[in-house]
Amino acid sequence: MSISPRIETEEDIQLIKDYTLLPILLDMLARDIDELQLYKDKIVYHHVIFHLSEIENAVRSEVLRLKKKMRAANIIVLTTDMNASGIEVEYKVRGYIHHFKMLRSLVKAELSSLLADMRRRSG
């Protein structure tokens, strides 16, 4: 039994969601690392920066892995629009265009979850 090309699977949706959220997480990590650089002479801040950098590298690797997986599944993100209410994504799965929206509160919750997962994997 094969899946209709019109229907995206849960795995497809998760790939797109992670692919959308991980760059936001990268931006947040870069911003926080930059802010903490002011205190890099303090030993505790130096360790925090080191761990955040490790997570940042893990996120970059995950983005590359997701890109490969999406390419293999014939999934393309067409547009990503961030606005005050959240994120809207238009994407193509096996030739069919789909959309999804995530409210700002859900984006925050998902980012926290992704960060926790990345932290567990790196540590």
Side-chain angles (χ1 to χ4, degrees):
M1 182 170 102
S2 70
I3 296 173
S4 169
R6 290 180 162 205
I7 300 172
E8 71 257 86
T9 65
E10 286 296 319
E11 183 181 2
D12 296 338
I13 295 168
Q14 190 62 48
L15 281 171
I16 294 159
K17 188 167 70 169
D18 288 349
Y19 184 77
T20 302
L21 293 172
L22 286 174
I24 297 168
L25 184 56
L26 277 174
D27 290 344
M28 292 170 58
L29 287 166
R31 179 200 64 212
D32 291 348
I33 289 169
D34 284 347
E35 287 180 18
L36 291 171
Q37 289 293 340
L38 298 172
Y39 308 103
K40 68 181 178 184
D41 294 337
K42 306 281 185 192
I43 194 151
V44 172
Y45 287 104
H46 179 73
H47 287 291
V48 171
I49 292 168
F50 175 78
H51 289 292
L52 288 177
S53 297
E54 282 185 337
I55 292 169
E56 187 178 41
N57 290 334
V59 170
R60 283 196 179 104
S61 295
E62 183 67 10
V63 169
L64 292 175
R65 187 187 71 75
L66 287 174
K67 280 183 182 181
K68 287 179 186 176
K69 206 167 181 182
M70 288 172 61
R71 197 171 318 132
N74 198 14
I75 298 171
I76 301 167
V77 173
L78 301 172
T79 61
T80 302
D81 180 35
M82 291 177 54
N83 54 45
S85 64
I87 297 176
E88 297 179 28
V89 179
E90 180 179 39
Y91 57 97
K92 192 186 287 189
V93 177
R94 295 176 285 283
Y96 293 89
I97 295 177
H98 303 275
H99 300 80
F100 81 79
K101 295 179 183 179
M102 292 177 68
L103 294 175
R104 188 175 206 84
S105 58
L106 181 58
V107 170
K108 275 180 81 171
E110 290 288 336
L111 286 171
S112 292
S113 177
L114 277 172
L115 183 57
D117 287 345
M118 297 306 291
R119 211 173 57 222
R120 266 186 246 119
R121 287 185 211 165
S122 71

